Amino acid sequence: MKLWRRAAGALKDQNSLLAISLSRQTWYRNSDLEAAIVKATNHDESYVDYRNAQRVFTWIRTSPVSLKPLIWALTTRMEKTRNWVVAIKGMMLMHGVFCCKTPAVQRIGRLPFDLSNFTDGHSKPSKMWGFNIFIRSYFSFLDQRSALFYVQQNQTEEPMVQELVKVKNLQYLLDMLLKIKPMADNMKEVLITEAMDCVIIEIYDVYSRICKGIARVLMGIYSAGKLEATMALKILHKAKVQGEDLALYFEFCRNFGVFNALEVPRVTQIPEADIKDLERIINGVPEAKSYKNVNDEDDNKAIVVKEDVAIVEEKGPNSRLKTIITDKWEIFEEDMNITYQGNHETSHFIATSSAENPPNYLPIVPVYQEQEIPDFICF
């Protein structure tokens, strides 16, 4: 039965190639490109024609105008087929086109063909349900990936919001990737393993961009508002859940025999301190740049920090008092023996006194020359 299906599939491929050779070449049709697509998406489930797939990718990289003929030819083939082998090879080819990352590819948007309800028409549904689900999941990911990358080019939000939306979309794509896996016992096929290798590589790329995006968000979130902090907190909680899902997915892929899952990337754990910091921002705790004195008696004072100087400033209506704390020191050595240790950046002063001269006054007094006092602004 399998030999008969393979022979019938080879005959269909030959007929398609013959029809291409007899067709007239137009602005949206390229016979050489169409022939390469048919060969790359042939009916043989025992191997993948990487040679012709690379020819297609080379066309796209060197001649962006070839994208329209490629989309037309691949769409025609995908809409006609009811064979799971051709469908998976077609999606692997489309996945490879996305990886070319040319500007024209980024502008494709939603895929022009639809495999969301694909059903293999050459075997009993009881035997093919796993293949059907695999193809539908793979198509859904590719379709959403193409749509999201197109939308991101036209985003006009603030940089922080744009970064948060980008990470959120990547997490959505990662969820869709984790749904692509063989669920039936009869799916240990060479082609399924090859497709899973492509999926694993995409997971590495998406997860790496999620981690980099979260790192950029955390570096700038403390100067952001409540809305951004709320979005970031949801992203961090989602990242923790996805880290656990990734570990289970990679274990499943290793047991299935997916080669690219043998070297599992390190799953980044989100520090609890970052989550608590975001919760404090959301709950309205003041930022770290301005503080109130914790003592009730000092409620009318504020600490202002600028460079290497701190000022405790009275906030009363008639008060003009300031206490200035700085690392510029003037040392009075009367009746004192002072030993200096360390350099200017990490200075330590050790004062010693005798019984005749008890230390009933400060041996080191911080002072500022009048002309050195800068203007400070309270935050």
Side-chain angles (χ1 to χ4, degrees), residues 29-257:
R29 297 194 65 175
N30 182 325
S31 57
D32 293 333
L33 181 58
E34 288 183 45
I37 291 173
V38 170
K39 293 176 182 178
T41 59
N42 61 73
H43 286 73
D44 191 348
E45 73 269 17
S46 62
Y47 85 103
V48 179
D49 191 342
Y50 287 109
R51 177 175 172 273
N52 278 287
Q54 288 298 327
R55 288 182 63 195
V56 173
F57 302 150
T58 302
W59 251 306
I60 298 302
R61 293 191 187 99
T62 58
S63 179
V65 295
S66 300
L67 184 61
K68 286 187 177 180
L70 180 146
I71 295 297
W72 184 89
L74 188 58
T75 298
T76 302
R77 189 156 176 83
M78 292 295 100
E79 288 179 344
K80 288 182 178 179
T81 190
R82 295 189 65 193
N83 184 279
W84 70 270
V85 176
V86 176
I88 289 182
K89 288 185 176 182
M91 289 188 295
M92 291 173 64
L93 187 66
M94 194 73 238
H95 199 169
V97 170
F98 288 153
C99 294
C100 293
K101 295 181 179 179
T102 63
V105 171
Q106 303 297 323
R107 294 192 296 267
I108 291 177
R110 297 290 297 272
L111 296 183
F113 56 88
D114 186 7
L115 297 179
S116 59
N117 294 313
F118 177 85
T119 300
D120 185 89
H122 302 282
S123 300
K124 295 180 179 180
S126 59
K127 292 183 178 180
M128 301 305 298
W129 67 268
F131 295 92
N132 295 337
I133 292 177
F134 188 90
I135 291 169
R136 295 170 189 174
S137 300
Y138 200 175
F139 168 79
S140 297
F141 161 72
L142 293 176
D143 187 42
Q144 291 300 311
R145 181 191 191 278
S146 183
L148 287 175
F149 276 57
Y150 174 77
V151 171
Q152 285 179 0
Q153 295 182 345
N154 302 317
Q155 287 182 339
T156 58
E157 295 95 347
E158 294 294 327
M160 176 59 70
V161 175
Q162 187 170 339
E163 187 68 41
L164 288 166
V165 172
K166 186 176 180 180
V167 175
K168 183 180 178 181
N169 289 339
L170 288 172
Q171 289 181 325
Y172 172 68
L173 290 181
L174 184 58
D175 279 340
M176 302 194 76
L177 281 166
L178 297 180
K179 295 178 181 179
I180 307 173
K181 59 182 179 180
M183 298 181 180
D185 295 334
N186 62 337
M187 296 184 67
K188 285 191 175 292
E189 299 278 354
V190 174
L191 182 58
I192 295 294
T193 304
E194 293 286 339
M196 287 298 297
D197 276 330
C198 296
V199 172
I200 291 293
I201 292 173
E202 184 73 23
I203 288 177
Y204 288 165
D205 180 59
V206 171
Y207 184 68
S208 173
R209 284 188 286 171
I210 289 174
C211 293
K212 292 177 181 177
I214 290 177
R216 287 192 293 268
V217 166
L218 291 179
M219 284 190 293
I221 198 63
Y222 301 103
S223 60
K226 185 175 180 179
L227 173 62
E228 292 86 347
T230 302
M231 293 176 64
L233 184 61
K234 292 180 180 179
I235 287 173
L236 293 188
H237 284 308
K238 181 68 175 178
K240 292 188 67 174
V241 174
Q242 285 187 329
E244 299 172 359
D245 294 341
L246 274 174
L248 296 175
Y249 187 84
F250 285 132
E251 183 179 358
F252 172 86
C253 291
R254 284 197 302 271
N255 294 334
F256 189 81

Side-chain angles (χ1 to χ4, degrees), residues 304-307 309 311 313 322 368 373-378:
V304 183
V305 180
K306 182 171 181 180
E307 297 180 350
V309 180
I311 298 179
E313 196 171 68
K322 293 183 180 179
Y368 247 119
I373 299 179
D375 295 327
F376 291 94
I377 302 175
C378 288

Side-chain angles (χ1 to χ4, degrees), residues 214 218-219 221-222 229 232-233 236-237 240 269-283 285:
I214 290 177
L218 291 179
M219 284 190 293
I221 198 63
Y222 301 103
L233 184 61
L236 293 188
H237 284 308
K240 292 188 67 174
Q269 299 295 329
I270 304 299
E272 287 292 335
D274 291 333
I275 296 178
K276 291 180 179 179
D277 286 343
L278 288 176
E279 290 175 345
R280 282 196 289 268
I281 294 176
I282 294 171
N283 294 330
V285 176

Side-chain angles (χ1 to χ4, degrees), residues 313-322:
E313 196 171 68
E314 293 283 353
K315 298 194 296 182
N318 301 319
S319 177
R320 300 177 60 87
L321 296 178
K322 293 183 180 179

